[in-house]
Amino acid sequence: MDSQNTAPAAFSSHKMQDAPAAMIDSHSVTKRLQSELMQLMMSNVPGISAFPISDSNLCQWTGTISGPEGTYYEGLTYKISMTFPPNYPYHAPVIRFVSPMWHPNVDMSGNICLDILKEKWSAVYNVQTILLSLQSLLGEPNNASPLNAQAADLWDGNPAEYKKLMMTHYKDIDEINDQ
Amino acid sequence: MPQALLRSPGSTILAAAARLRQRNLLDRLLNWYIDSVRSHFALHGLRAIKSPDIPGIMSDPISIGNSVRRVLSTLCDALHHYMFPISFLYAENSNKEDMLARIRFRHSLNAMIDIALSDHEFQLMAHLLVEHQLAACGRNEEQQIVDREEDEPKRLAFLTGIRQQIDILGVQDRMERIVADVYHTFIPRYVSRQYARIWEQEERQESLMVELKDLIYGPISRCIATLIRRDELLEARLFELATESLVKLGIKEAFDMVIYFPDSIPALEYLKMCLRTQEHRAQLVTAFQNACHARLLHCGANTSDIISFYMSTIKVFRLLEPRGVLLDKVSRPIRRYLRDREDTVKCIVYGMLEVEDANTGDLSELGKELAAASGAQNADAVDDNDYFNMNWVPDPVDAAPDFRNKRSSDFIGSLLSLYDNKEVFVKEIVVVLANRLLELKNYEIDREMMHLELLKLLFGESDLHNSDVMVKDILESKRVDSNIHDPTTVAPGTYPVAGIVHASMLSRLFWPAFRDEDLVLPPVIEEQLNRYSAKFSILKSARKLTWLKRLGTVDVTLELEDRTLDFTVSPDRASMIYLFQDKPTYTLNELMARLNLDEAMTRRALGFWIKNDVLKEDETCKDKYILLERAEERKKKMLLDDAAESSVQTAEEKATEEMRIYWSYVNGMLTNIPALPIDRIQSFLKMLIPKEVGYSRSVDELRDFLTVMVAEEKLEFVSGSYRLKK
């Protein structure tokens, strides 16, 4: 693990649970997330967006990703949830697809297999880079370690069948919002 | 039925009555008689009263009076007629049963009369009659006492006649009710008609009371006392009613008195004297606030008008109540409204700096106030913590819970306290000051320095530090400029700078942001500027001038075939007209390219020259402009008066920039959360926008903003929530 992923305040599990440390942490997490939001809002990259779901808890966000052009997912929009740990950005946020997602690296309950969200997480990543990585994952899956083997097989083997199966799982974002 | 026609009954009838009495059957006779009287009255009596030849309520006072009398006399006759037989059946002053029987009969008659008089039309006529009588006592529209001496006895005689009929009919109660009804509406109406909008003369207020007293204790009281039973308290009650009406009138007119201040001071003094009860104070506050909402606090009013009205309000209510509780209450809506206006700060700052501007109106009073106020700081402040102040009194009970005895007689302080921080004013002051300094032609900054010193007293030294540097820049520029123009310092091999070019050297960091667009100046001028720069670099080694070509002013003299015109204009306008020296027509695009201006700026500059009849747009070809060597017949052009254009980024533009940031937040929010009510959006923005950017808008401001977005079809408002328009 990179050294930059280590929290400056000696990174050990028992210290993380100290109440005062947690409080200071939660404050700095809030600040960090606030400035990440500002950055995200101001850069205004098309196709990706995210926002906290409540004004009281900045650690829970919801986001939307549009499928990149020239991929199976072009024109579709997916909803995701992002949960930031109290020691963010030293730990990666937990990201899940809320919309049903049929993709080689996403399982049926929306869990994502993406290296930068797991072992390759680094504190230099931020919400915007995560969203961009996810967006590019839609076009370039890692078929070597699939969570959805059928999808991985069909990706190159049978594009028509892939598109068909993927569309049977797709749900419009309005439908999801209405739930 | 004249009385003479009634004949006494014969002896047989009397004997029959006596027989009935012996057998105790007289009661039955009476019952029968009452029944027949009732049906007779219903058949004939009522018809006589409602007969069509009685003039209606729309006729003149005299015929109404006569009609009332006629109805009453008809009733009197009927009464006599019906009573007549009874006097034979039951002798007067006889035994108890007879008395009771007579009373019983009288009661049933009274009931019939009552029904007759309850007639709606008659009631109206009676009201009108009384009202005419009262009105005849006072002044009429021509301010003349109608009731000449010889008229009064005649009127009183008429009233006495009515009084007698009323006594006969026994309906005094009814009459009293009518009279009371009438004077309760008549006196307030009379007062407000006679004394409305009379504020100026001091004596008038005094004589007004005397006049009212004379009227009430004189003709009105005589008139009423003739008509109904006299009551010792009548005059006092009437007078109380009149004074009460005067106060109400004053309360109603408070708004106008503020407008006409200081001419209305005598009336205000009087109102102050009368404002004794809590009820009146509350009424005054409500009436004033309502008037403000209806007449002032709407988008049709100029901000400067509202501000000057607010200043008058402060003066007026300070006069009415020096403690300031009423002022505190009435000014709240005004202050709230002013806070929401976009150009409030601008107007106040322009006023304080005595800038004349068509859009902000004249508030130079503020500038004078600023100069005056700085001398007498805190002179009349009442300190609640001063325990040795033996004249201390608690705040009145109707003071609002958060009432503070502010020094609200000083307008500047009141206006500055509109906003939570003075920052907004400082920002605007810097912008205005920068513009003013840039417009100077001969480095004469005395006036600006004086204003700056006064403002420093108000806002404190530190906030206006930048402005100090700005002023110093100009002073320094004056020195450098005179040095550059000094002929003895011309270096060999260089050309002197023409005397018409003067520059101000600005310390960029301390001035507000400038618009940094470039402008192509005529080559002659460019040449001069280069010489100026060269000379500057010699004077101040290792320093270089960066020209801000958009700023400053140019004196232009246009020599056309038939006329010579002088203008003082901005450089872009001057450069534009210079182009026409070579060729008389240009298209819009050519001009934009030659001057390096954007379309809006070019059009504005064109508009200026067109307005001054130097250029005109070619009628046959759109966006092509021709120089008018010979003046043409002036056409009525509805060109907008171009607002004095600021070369510095204004506070308004900053606000637009902020709104752009807020919009991206709202957009992001609604992309991910489908629909949100305004409160949630507000709390999101409050919570999520970093402090460095800051979010200080109220819900109302946010709502305005979102409404604009809805109008631009970026948002839609569905069942209480905003969502993105797809």
Side-chain angles (χ1 to χ4, degrees):
Chain A
M1 189 182 277
D2 293 347
S3 62
Q4 62 187 344
N5 281 8
T6 317
F11 186 72
S12 62
S13 56
H14 75 272
K15 272 216 170 150
M16 284 310 296
Q17 277 138 23
D18 280 358
M23 260 172 65
I24 294 162
D25 254 358
S26 89
H27 180 68
S28 65
V29 169
T30 305
K31 254 197 119 154
R32 158 102 184 198
L33 288 173
Q34 217 177 38
S35 67
E36 283 195 17
L37 179 66
M38 177 84 186
Q39 192 195 348
L40 182 69
M41 291 294 108
M42 293 333 302
S43 59
N44 202 10
V45 183
I48 58 165
S49 175
F51 210 81
I53 52 174
S54 91
D55 51 339
S56 53
N57 178 15
L58 273 184
C59 290
Q60 195 67 49
W61 290 30
T62 168
T64 46
I65 295 178
S66 309
E69 281 175 35
T71 68
Y72 294 118
Y73 300 94
E74 182 175 346
L76 307 179
T77 311
Y78 290 93
K79 198 174 164 84
I80 58 167
S81 78
M82 314 175 86
T83 311
F84 296 89
N87 53 354
Y88 179 81
Y90 303 109
H91 272 183
V94 178
I95 303 196
R96 255 170 25 83
F97 274 94
V98 177
S99 311
M101 183 62 178
W102 205 76
H103 182 277
N105 301 111
V106 181
D107 72 11
M108 282 306 153
S109 41
N111 298 313
I112 305 164
C113 177
L114 181 61
D115 50 359
I116 63 154
L117 294 178
K118 300 273 161 31
E119 69 281 358
K120 287 219 176 132
W121 169 254
S122 150
V124 298
Y125 291 135
N126 58 34
V127 178
Q128 194 176 347
T129 52
I130 294 169
L131 290 171
L132 284 171
S133 308
L134 281 176
Q135 199 184 24
S136 65
L137 183 71
L138 296 186
E140 301 153 13
N142 178 5
N143 288 327
S145 63
L147 282 175
N148 182 338
Q150 191 190 14
D153 282 349
L154 289 176
W155 180 271
D156 291 317
N158 190 346
E161 185 65 15
Y162 186 97
K163 180 83 183 170
K164 207 185 94 198
L165 275 173
M166 191 266 290
M167 285 312 284
T168 58
H169 286 92
Y170 179 68
K171 258 192 191 164
D172 193 66
I173 197 152
D174 284 338
E175 265 178 78
I176 299 176
N177 285 333
D178 289 342
Q179 279 168 14
Chain B
M1 285 166 270
Q3 206 150 6
L5 291 181
L6 296 170
R7 274 176 293 124
S8 303
S11 53
T12 15
I13 294 172
L14 286 175
R19 178 80 51 89
L20 284 174
R21 181 188 285 274
Q22 278 167 7
R23 299 206 174 169
N24 276 341
L25 287 173
L26 209 54
D27 264 1
R28 289 171 69 174
L29 178 67
L30 184 65
N31 285 345
W32 170 83
Y33 182 62
I34 289 175
D35 282 347
S36 2
V37 162
R38 274 192 189 140
S39 47
H40 182 266
F41 184 75
L43 218 63
H44 301 97
L46 283 179
R47 192 187 301 155
I49 290 165
K50 289 191 80 117
S51 75
D53 57 325
I54 290 179
I57 49 165
M58 301 305 286
S59 35
D60 59 299
I62 296 181
S63 36
I64 286 180
N66 290 337
S67 318
V68 172
R69 275 205 76 158
R70 238 177 60 209
V71 170
L72 289 176
S73 73
T74 311
L75 285 174
C76 283
D77 284 349
L79 185 75
H80 276 299
H81 189 76
Y82 296 140
M83 283 299 281
F84 187 70
I86 294 296
S87 56
F88 294 102
L89 283 180
Y90 305 100
E92 266 181 84
N93 306 324
S94 54
N95 57 20
K96 197 174 161 203
E97 277 100 58
D98 281 11
M99 284 282 286
L100 284 176
R102 282 178 75 105
I103 289 171
R104 190 151 73 88
F105 180 69
R106 185 62 212 251
H107 276 180
S108 70
L109 274 186
N110 282 351
M112 288 188 307
I113 292 169
D114 218 46
I115 289 166
L117 291 183
S118 308
D119 177 61
H120 183 64
E121 197 156 334
F122 176 78
Q123 290 270 317
L124 271 177
M125 288 200 299
H127 271 95
L128 285 173
L129 166 78
V130 177
E131 192 163 334
H132 285 312
Q133 293 297 329
L134 290 183
C137 302
R139 291 154 175 276
N140 68 0
E141 276 75 16
E142 283 85 45
Q143 297 291 314
Q144 301 214 311
I145 298 196
V146 182
D147 187 19
R148 289 181 301 272
E149 292 296 311
E150 63 269 28
D151 265 2
E152 195 182 352
K154 220 194 283 174
R155 284 194 304 107
L156 288 184
F158 175 76
L159 289 178
T160 317
I162 290 189
R163 170 72 185 270
Q164 280 163 357
Q165 291 173 324
I166 285 168
D167 284 347
I168 292 171
L169 292 174
V171 287
Q172 294 93 339
D173 283 355
R174 185 175 280 276
M175 200 61 203
E176 276 168 27
R177 221 163 32 237
I178 290 174
V179 170
D181 266 4
V182 170
Y183 69 64
H184 269 108
T185 54
F186 171 77
I187 288 188
R189 208 161 53 211
Y190 180 78
V191 167
S192 58
R193 198 182 62 221
Q194 293 297 319
Y195 304 113
R197 308 183 76 87
I198 299 173
W199 305 318
E200 282 92 358
Q201 308 108 308
E202 218 149 323
E203 331 69 83
R204 188 84 179 89
Q205 302 295 332
E206 303 287 321
S207 65
L208 200 142
M209 296 306 290
V210 177
E211 192 183 292
L212 262 181
K213 203 161 193 162
D214 281 352
L215 178 70
I216 285 168
Y217 281 85
I220 288 193
S221 128
R222 277 200 293 277
C223 169
I224 292 179
T226 316
L227 209 50
I228 58 175
R229 269 187 302 248
R230 193 189 172 72
D231 174 353
E232 305 90 68
L233 290 175
L234 177 73
E235 288 94 348
R237 214 165 44 230
L238 286 175
F239 191 63
E240 181 73 12
L241 193 65
T243 38
E244 176 80 16
S245 314
L246 267 181
V247 177
K248 289 238 171 79
L249 182 68
I251 288 172
K252 213 173 81 192
E253 287 183 335
F255 186 89
D256 296 276
M257 290 196 214
V258 171
I259 293 177
Y260 288 92
F261 189 83
D263 289 345
S264 52
I265 288 178
L268 286 167
E269 293 283 0
Y270 176 73
L271 183 61
K272 179 185 177 182
M273 207 172 74
C274 298
L275 265 190
R276 278 175 308 224
T277 65
Q278 290 300 330
E279 197 196 337
H280 285 155
R281 290 163 61 99
Q283 275 173 2
L284 176 63
V285 170
T286 332
F288 192 81
Q289 286 179 347
N290 288 344
C292 282
H293 280 300
R295 296 173 59 182
L296 184 74
L297 304 181
H298 51 69
C299 42
N302 285 333
T303 309
S304 57
D305 292 341
I306 300 177
I307 293 174
S308 53
F309 182 86
Y310 179 41
M311 293 197 293
S312 301
T313 309
I314 292 175
K315 288 187 215 155
V316 164
F317 280 85
R318 274 274 145 178
L319 189 97
L320 282 179
E321 193 227 29
R323 287 291 290 180
V325 177
L326 288 180
L327 173 60
D328 178 61
K329 286 185 170 180
V330 297
S331 57
R332 275 168 199 239
I334 308 181
R335 293 170 63 88
R336 204 177 311 130
Y337 186 80
L338 276 177
R339 264 195 290 267
D340 288 348
R341 277 250 172 164
E342 271 168 18
D343 52 346
T344 304
V345 175
K346 198 166 160 187
C347 280
I348 295 171
V349 170
Y350 276 34
M352 285 196 292
L353 293 174
E354 295 176 61
V355 181
E356 274 143 44
D357 182 273
N359 294 331
T360 53
D362 182 32
L363 284 171
S364 54
E365 203 184 336
L366 270 176
K368 289 180 199 108
E369 189 60 31
L370 181 63
S374 56
Q377 287 270 325
N378 287 321
D380 56 347
V382 178
D383 183 5
D384 269 354
N385 292 323
D386 178 5
Y387 297 115
F388 296 100
N389 180 5
M390 288 302 150
N391 297 321
W392 181 87
V393 277
D395 289 333
V397 286
D398 55 347
D402 54 345
F403 169 74
R404 294 274 170 282
N405 186 27
K406 288 165 280 196
R407 242 182 93 234
S408 34
S409 60
D410 122 52
F411 322 122
I412 305 254
S414 312
L415 289 174
L416 295 189
S417 64
L418 275 178
Y419 299 90
D420 288 338
N421 59 6
K422 293 178 176 176
E423 201 97 312
V424 282
F425 289 102
V426 173
K427 274 188 208 157
E428 189 72 36
I429 286 173
V430 172
V431 170
V432 173
L433 196 68
N435 271 326
R436 288 274 290 270
L437 290 175
L438 290 174
E439 276 167 19
L440 293 175
K441 280 192 206 155
N442 42 11
Y443 308 105
E444 285 297 328
I445 55 168
D446 291 354
R447 209 163 81 107
E448 273 61 40
M449 274 173 81
M450 183 197 81
H451 279 135
L452 188 58
E453 289 306 317
L454 291 175
L455 289 171
K456 272 194 212 158
L457 285 177
L458 211 58
F459 293 102
E461 199 85 28
S462 55
D463 281 340
L464 290 168
H465 172 69
N466 281 6
S467 315
D468 266 345
V469 177
M470 283 156 54
V471 168
K472 204 167 151 281
D473 275 348
I474 302 294
L475 280 174
E476 176 78 9
S477 303
K478 182 180 184 179
R479 229 163 39 78
V480 173
D481 187 71
S482 66
N483 231 324
I484 284 177
H485 286 293
D486 187 350
T488 59
T489 62
V490 178
T494 58
Y495 301 98
V497 180
I500 51 163
V501 180
H502 299 278
S504 297
M505 295 69 172
L506 314 178
S507 318
R508 173 187 278 271
L509 286 177
F510 294 90
W511 288 69
F514 294 112
R515 299 197 173 133
D516 52 354
E517 302 107 330
D518 202 13
L519 172 74
V520 180
L521 296 175
V524 202
I525 306 292
E526 290 279 2
E527 165 64 21
Q528 291 296 332
L529 293 187
N530 288 340
R531 287 188 202 173
Y532 201 103
S533 308
K535 193 86 186 271
F536 180 81
S537 298
I538 295 170
L539 277 176
K540 304 249 167 191
S541 53
R543 282 215 264 164
K544 193 173 165 291
L545 281 181
T546 309
W547 294 98
L548 292 166
K549 292 174 186 167
R550 291 282 177 89
L551 308 186
T553 54
V554 183
D555 288 326
V556 185
T557 305
L558 300 180
E559 288 169 1
L560 301 166
E561 275 177 26
D562 62 338
R563 62 205 194 281
T564 305
L565 302 166
D566 286 311
F567 294 100
T568 300
V569 294
S570 57
D572 54 327
R573 290 173 184 175
S575 308
M576 171 179 287
I577 207 67
Y578 188 86
L579 287 178
F580 283 88
Q581 189 158 317
D582 306 331
K583 137 174 155 176
T585 55
Y586 281 93
T587 64
L588 183 71
N589 288 336
E590 274 175 328
L591 286 173
M592 279 162 63
R594 295 282 296 264
L595 294 169
N596 190 21
L597 282 177
D598 61 22
E599 185 175 341
M601 293 283 285
T602 317
R603 282 195 186 280
R604 226 175 299 163
L606 281 168
F608 174 81
W609 292 118
I610 292 173
K611 201 178 75 187
N612 285 299
D613 290 325
V614 176
L615 298 181
K616 73 162 187 177
E617 187 168 2
D618 195 337
E619 276 127 15
T620 55
C621 179
K622 201 172 173 288
D623 284 340
K624 190 169 180 182
Y625 298 90
I626 310 173
L627 180 68
L628 290 172
E629 280 288 356
R630 306 195 144 273
E632 279 188 3
E633 184 80 3
R634 195 185 180 88
K635 280 181 217 136
K636 286 275 175 226
K637 288 195 194 76
M638 291 304 285
L639 274 175
L640 283 176
D641 221 359
D642 52 342
E645 195 193 311
S646 163
S647 32
V648 189
Q649 210 183 34
T650 60
E652 235 169 84
E653 284 166 331
K654 235 172 247 171
T656 322
E657 169 70 18
E658 278 172 6
M659 273 311 178
R660 205 178 59 77
I661 298 178
Y662 302 155
W663 167 245
S664 46
Y665 269 87
V666 174
N667 190 20
M669 203 182 297
L670 293 174
T671 310
N672 295 294
I673 308 169
L676 283 173
I678 191 158
D679 297 336
R680 288 284 306 280
I681 298 180
Q682 172 81 354
S683 65
F684 262 131
L685 291 174
K686 270 199 170 150
M687 193 57 209
L688 298 179
I689 292 181
K691 284 200 182 56
E692 303 81 68
V693 181
Y695 179 78
S696 56
R697 305 304 163 107
S698 68
V699 182
D700 288 333
E701 282 171 301
L702 177 66
R703 184 174 294 120
D704 289 348
F705 173 66
L706 293 179
T707 311
V708 171
M709 288 300 149
V710 170
E712 288 181 10
E713 304 218 313
K714 287 183 176 162
L715 289 183
E716 54 187 353
F717 186 67
V718 182
S719 59
S721 295
Y722 289 89
R723 44 168 71 239
L724 287 178
K725 185 124 181 154
K726 296 249 164 69

